[in-house]
Amino acid sequence: MVIATTLAAVVFIIMFIMSARDRLSRTAAMGMSAVGMILLVFGIFTGLSGDDTGLLAKIVAVLIFVVMFVLIIMDKIERHIVTLCCGLATLVLVFGICMKDLNAIWKTLNVANIFTPGFWYTAGSAEESSAGINWATIIFIAGMMIMVEGMAKAGFFRWLCMTLAKLVKYKVVPLFITFMLMSAVLSMFIDSITVILFLAAVTVELAHLLKFDPVPMILSEVFCANLGGSATMCGDPPNIIVGTSLGYSFADFLTNTGAIAGIALVFVVFYFFIIFRKELKEAGKNPIDISAMPAPREAITDKRSFVISVVIFLVAVVLLVTHAQTGLTVAFIGGVIAVATLATSGKSALELLKKVDYKTLLFFVGLFVVVGGLEQTGILEIVANFIQTISGGNVILVIIIIIWLSATASSIVDNIPFAATMVPIIKDLASAGGVLNAEYLSVLAWSLSLGTDIGGSATPIGASANVVGTSVSAKNGHPISWGRYLKACVPATVIVLIICTLMIFVRYSAELGLTA
């Protein structure tokens, strides 16, 4: 108690002194206040709880998690700084001081797992990741980032957009549908942020040339990118977390969430076409001068790099599709992709490494540590038991809670930390009497993936792709208000969630015990 309260006092004193000298920004002050409050509350609870270190560890772990989530939502401090500081607080306060368990720290850091053969090669069988930092997710995302930067530098994305636009002869309605489908398909294999970044930029360019409002097309592209990301294991970060944590393959996602997302995509295309039919009809009246359009080949900055990047991308797709059969893990595939891209980039290799989003990778590291604190202290097991209690053990209610709770939460907060938190919870839900029901777990996993991925489409801040799409549009003179976004995307989100819920009950009725 004395140590914690003393540290809290020191933090607050430093904060006030620096603020008085005007050497501390508002963001930094908020961060220091959060750390000070954690230490102070920890000290108070230490004095109140006596020797009940188990209860104390739970309280502190939850407090750190709540502070992390609040700071992420406020978006005043860069989110990787938030998660890293909260992760450090978890290691020191929860594992070090409360639990006095060095083994818990070692399990959560999970570094030893990287040096095991099963981390890179599983001899054809999926291996479940242990608790703590999911290094497979981090390595795979880093590899994909490097590959995507190589493709972007070669002009692949702009070339693809301009080629498809030329194939439909720059007609607005076919262009509208084509770009929606392309957004969904590309997001199955490439991070949706990158897809929307380039797709929205080309959409604005074409809108200026063809004289139509790009907002309807950008909104539909954003929604389809999130929907397409739900179809595969590598399409969206929540899916990567679910897949690597529970040992599911690319094919597992494609044949489960992919099939459902494919059906939903058909309804989504019709939906957006109907609600934007007036804008599309007006845009179709504008005369088109095809000769004034830029040639697709102009987008290619380096033919050699272009060909190499396409080959690497195709190899990556093949490796991902077959990794369950070959036994190569996503960590191995991500590493190979990164090495191949850098080795063939020559002098540009250093430039590609500099463009990697290291802040996102650090965000994942801190996040996994904080969630590890909840897992090691038994908080997630308590949450799972609570869901089981309020549902009365009714699997129908459990599925509905998982899908709609995930969707609602992901429309308000970042879906990545939510998914990372929910994975161990659904594992506990699928364990009855200490025995894991693998079939029930898989249904819960697909429900979680669909809920988090699709729910993020409902609001402008629900997913990173939404933020990127609206930002690109605004920068080019086409701001998208919250009202316009919600009017278009909330109904679409509800429609898709209803389809997903019904599809899960129909397709997995046997696994859920709903059939006689």
Side-chain angles (χ1 to χ4, degrees):
M1 176 181 179
V2 175
I3 295 175
T5 50
T6 302
L7 288 174
V10 170
V11 170
F12 283 123
I13 290 171
I14 293 174
M15 181 185 71
F16 284 125
I17 292 175
M18 293 183 69
S19 298
R21 295 185 177 184
D22 200 22
R23 293 185 179 180
L24 196 66
S25 66
R26 183 182 177 185
T27 299
M30 289 176 63
M32 292 185 71
S33 297
V35 173
M37 285 302 297
I38 291 172
L39 291 168
L40 183 60
V41 173
F42 169 76
I44 293 172
F45 275 111
T46 301
L48 294 176
S49 60
D51 296 329
D52 192 358
T53 55
L55 175 61
L56 183 59
K58 288 180 172 64
I59 292 172
V60 176
V62 171
L63 181 62
I64 293 172
F65 178 78
V66 171
V67 169
M68 180 191 76
F69 242 109
V70 169
L71 291 176
I72 289 175
I73 294 171
M74 291 175 64
D75 198 26
K76 299 294 184 180
I77 306 174
E78 290 190 86
R79 61 180 193 169
H80 71 286
I81 295 177
V82 171
T83 61
L84 287 174
C85 289
C86 290
L88 180 61
T90 299
L91 294 176
V92 175
L93 300 180
V94 178
F95 299 146
I97 298 177
C98 290
M99 297 175 64
K100 296 181 176 64
D101 189 352
L102 293 178
N103 188 47
I105 296 176
W106 185 244
K107 281 183 179 179
T108 302
L109 293 177
N110 203 20
V111 176
N113 191 40
I114 300 175
F115 302 99
T116 61
F119 183 82
W120 306 98
Y121 178 71
T122 59
S125 61
E127 181 172 295
E128 186 178 306
S129 175
S130 56
I133 300 176
N134 192 329
W135 292 109
T137 294
I138 294 170
I139 292 173
F140 176 71
I141 291 177
M144 292 296 285
M145 284 179 176
I146 292 173
M147 181 192 74
V148 166
E149 288 297 338
M151 296 174 72
K153 183 174 176 59
F156 172 80
F157 297 107
R158 194 167 184 276
W159 168 84
L160 181 61
C161 292
M162 300 307 295
T163 299
L164 291 176
K166 185 177 181 180
L167 287 175
V168 298
K169 298 180 180 179
Y170 302 98
K171 293 182 179 179
V172 177
V173 173
L175 198 65
F176 179 78
I177 296 173
T178 300
F179 272 37
M180 273 197 288
L181 296 176
M182 179 170 59
S183 178
V185 173
L186 283 177
S187 295
M188 292 170 63
F189 306 99
I190 300 172
D191 181 57
S192 58
I193 301 173
T194 302
V195 172
I196 291 301
L197 185 64
F198 289 94
L199 202 54
V202 174
T203 298
V204 171
E205 181 181 351
L206 289 172
H208 290 165
L209 291 171
L210 302 177
K211 298 178 182 179
F212 67 85
D213 181 9
V215 172
M217 195 174 292
I218 290 175
L219 288 175
S220 62
E221 289 164 358
V222 167
F223 194 94
C224 288
N226 291 325
L227 181 58
S230 70
T232 65
M233 181 177 170
C234 62
D236 214 24
N239 288 16
I240 301 174
I241 293 172
V242 172
T244 53
S245 299
L246 302 179
Y248 295 132
S249 68
F250 184 93
D252 289 332
F253 274 90
L254 190 61
T255 55
N256 289 281
T257 59
I260 296 174
I263 294 171
L265 181 61
V266 176
F267 287 88
V268 167
V269 171
F270 277 108
Y271 167 81
F272 280 110
F273 175 74
I274 291 170
I275 67 167
F276 292 130
R277 62 187 182 281
K278 290 183 180 179
E279 291 93 331
L280 295 173
K281 186 177 180 180
E282 287 297 319
K285 294 179 181 179
N286 298 323
I288 301 172
D289 183 7
I290 296 179
S291 62
M293 303 300 161
R297 63 176 179 274
E298 294 176 6
I300 302 174
T301 58
D302 186 311
K303 289 184 178 180
R304 176 181 173 276
S305 298
F306 179 85
V307 172
I308 291 174
S309 66
V310 171
V311 171
I312 292 175
F313 173 66
L314 295 176
V315 169
V317 172
V318 172
L319 289 175
L320 285 168
V321 172
T322 61
H323 81 94
Q325 289 72 38
T326 61
L328 301 176
T329 65
V330 291
F332 180 87
I333 295 170
V336 168
I337 291 171
V339 171
T341 302
L342 294 173
T344 56
S345 297
K347 296 180 180 178
S348 301
L350 186 59
E351 181 184 346
L352 296 182
L353 283 174
K354 289 180 179 178
K355 289 185 177 181
V356 172
D357 189 359
Y358 294 104
K359 292 181 179 180
T360 294
L361 300 179
L362 291 173
F363 164 76
F364 274 107
V365 172
L367 168 65
F368 284 130
V369 172
V370 175
V371 174
L374 297 179
E375 189 170 5
Q376 293 288 336
T377 55
I379 292 296
L380 299 183
E381 185 178 351
I382 294 173
V383 175
N385 292 335
F386 176 72
I387 294 175
Q388 192 75 27
T389 301
I390 63 173
S391 65
N394 188 316
V395 293
I396 295 177
L397 288 179
V398 172
I399 295 298
I400 291 174
I401 289 172
I402 294 298
I403 294 177
W404 290 85
L405 174 64
S406 301
T408 303
S410 296
S411 67
I412 302 171
V413 301
D414 198 310
N415 58 7
I416 296 172
F418 184 82
T421 307
M422 288 297 294
V423 166
I425 290 176
I426 64 173
K427 285 173 65 178
D428 285 334
L429 284 170
S431 300
V435 179
L436 182 68
N437 186 332
E439 290 185 346
Y440 185 29
L441 176 62
S442 65
V443 180
L444 293 178
W446 312 141
S447 301
L448 175 62
S449 293
L450 290 168
T452 52
D453 294 336
I454 295 166
S457 301
T459 65
I461 61 171
S464 299
N466 310 6
V467 178
V468 170
T470 53
S471 297
V472 171
S473 184
K475 285 179 182 178
N476 288 275
H478 302 279
I480 302 175
S481 66
W482 266 70
R484 189 173 187 182
Y485 186 100
L486 296 176
K487 185 178 179 181
C489 294
V490 168
T493 303
V494 173
I495 290 171
V496 174
L497 288 173
I498 291 173
I499 292 171
C500 291
T501 305
L502 295 175
M503 284 290 295
I504 284 175
F505 286 137
V506 171
R507 183 171 181 183
Y508 305 109
S509 58
E511 289 86 344
L512 297 173
L514 302 178
T515 55

